[in-house]
Amino acid sequence: MLEKNQKLGEILNGMDRVMVAFSGGIDSAFVLKRAEQELGASNVLAVVVASELFRNEEFEGAVQLAEKMGVPVHQTEIKELEQEEIAANTPESWYYSKKLLYTHLNQLAEKMGYAYVLDGMIMDDVDDFRPGLKARTEAGVRSVLQEAKLYKREIRALAKEIDVPVWDKPASCSLASRIPYGTILDKQKIYQVDEAEKFLIKLGFNMVRVRHHGEIARIEVLPEKMNGIIEYREKIDLKFKSLGFSYISIDLNGYRTGSMNEVLPDQTIVG
C-alpha cells in the first residue's frame, strides 16, 4: 500500500498544473489531497460540477469540502437531461453522461491553463459495469489512482492517515441509477427518488436506495435495518404517496449499489 502511494506521488510529480474532477467523495478527495501535497495548492484546482442527476446537497458539500482542504475551487454545471442519449436511460447512457462531463472539463482545462484533468476512478471500478472508462480514455483524462493500482480499502486507510475528512464516507451515485434502464429520465422521476431517499436518511437510514418502478418504490436498506422500515411504515407510506408512488416495497436482498445492473445480460456492453 505504501509503495502504491509512493507511486501515486511519482505520477503526480510528473505533472504541472492539474484540475481535479471533485465530487466530494473519498476517491476524488484523496486525489485532491495528494495532488496538493505533491504540487502545491496553487497548482491544483478542484472543479465541482452541478448535475441534474445528483443531489444538490452533494454539490454544496463538495464545494465546502474543497474549500476546507485549502484548494482553489471552480463551480460549474452540466445539463444531462437535455441530451437525448442520456435521457434515454440505456446502459450506453452512462457513457454519454461521462462523455459530456469529460468534454466540459477538458474545455475548462484548456481555457484555464491546466495541463491535466484527473478523476477519482479506482481499481475496483475495472471489474464493475463502468461505461465511463471508455469515455475517460477517449477524453484523455487521467485516473491516477488506477495508474497507481489503488483499491478502495487502501485509499480509505491512506486517506485516514493524512486526515482527509471524508475517509469513511459511503459511496454515492447518480440518482439516475435508481431508475430501470429503458425508462426515460426526467426531472420528476429524479425529484421523487431524491425526496424519498432524503426522507429515509432523516429517519436514520444512511445506507439506502429507493428504486423507481413507476407507481412502485422499492426500498433497499441493510438487512438489519429492515425492521426499522416496518416501524416507520405509516410515515413512509404517507410521504411516498405524497410524492406520487402508489405502492411501497422492501427489497429482501437489502442495500447494494448497482442493483439495476443485475438484469443486464452482459455487463460489458460499453466500456
Side-chain angles (χ1 to χ4, degrees), residues 1-12 30 34 38 122-124 143-155 158:
M1 183 173 70
L2 295 179
E3 291 180 358
K4 292 181 181 181
N5 194 30
Q6 182 179 354
K7 175 64 174 178
L8 176 61
E10 293 170 356
I11 293 169
L12 290 167
F30 184 64
R34 292 293 286 113
E38 298 295 337
I122 60 177
M123 288 302 294
D124 306 66
S143 299
V144 292
L145 299 180
Q146 281 189 354
E147 292 178 30
K149 308 297 183 184
L150 281 161
Y151 287 85
K152 177 74 76 176
R153 64 183 184 278
E154 298 170 321
I155 293 165
L158 291 168

Side-chain angles (χ1 to χ4, degrees), residues 18-201:
V18 300
M19 174 182 288
V20 178
F22 190 66
S23 67
I26 172 59
D27 302 324
S28 62
F30 184 64
V31 171
L32 190 68
K33 181 67 173 181
R34 292 293 286 113
E36 185 271 333
Q37 288 179 332
E38 298 295 337
L39 301 173
S42 62
N43 292 315
V44 180
L45 180 68
V47 177
V48 186
V49 183
S51 161
E52 296 173 304
L53 304 183
F54 282 83
R55 197 161 282 137
N56 189 55
E57 289 83 355
E58 291 284 337
F59 171 78
E60 294 172 350
V63 172
Q64 294 171 5
L65 177 60
E67 291 173 344
K68 181 179 180 180
M69 293 174 68
V71 176
V73 185
H74 179 78
Q75 301 177 43
T76 185
E77 66 177 346
I78 54 176
K79 297 288 188 181
E80 293 100 331
L81 295 179
E82 294 179 359
Q83 306 293 316
E84 183 178 344
E85 297 90 347
I86 299 174
N89 194 24
T90 68
E92 290 82 4
S93 293
W94 295 99
Y95 163 76
Y96 289 106
S97 181
K98 285 295 186 180
K99 181 178 181 180
L100 177 65
L101 172 64
Y102 290 138
T103 298
H104 184 67
L105 292 173
N106 277 337
Q107 290 172 346
L108 280 177
E110 183 177 359
K111 180 180 178 180
M112 302 175 75
Y114 286 85
Y116 297 94
V117 175
L118 312 183
D119 73 6
M121 285 194 182
I122 60 177
M123 288 302 294
D124 306 66
D125 297 332
V126 173
D127 295 327
D128 197 3
F129 175 59
R130 298 283 178 173
L133 291 170
K134 179 181 178 182
R136 182 277 317 273
T137 301
E138 290 176 349
V141 170
R142 297 284 294 272
S143 299
V144 292
L145 299 180
Q146 281 189 354
E147 292 178 30
K149 308 297 183 184
L150 281 161
Y151 287 85
K152 177 74 76 176
R153 64 183 184 278
E154 298 170 321
I155 293 165
R156 288 201 186 278
L158 291 168
K160 185 178 181 181
E161 286 183 9
I162 60 176
D163 296 322
V164 176
V166 291
W167 67 269
D168 59 346
K169 181 181 178 181
S172 61
C173 186
S174 165
L175 293 168
S177 68
R178 280 63 151 177
I179 300 169
Y181 291 120
T183 301
I184 300 297
L185 300 179
D186 57 41
K187 291 182 179 180
Q188 175 62 16
K189 296 185 185 75
I190 297 297
Y191 172 80
Q192 289 176 293
V193 168
D194 188 20
E195 290 298 310
E197 288 191 357
K198 287 193 291 188
F199 181 75
L200 293 177
I201 290 169

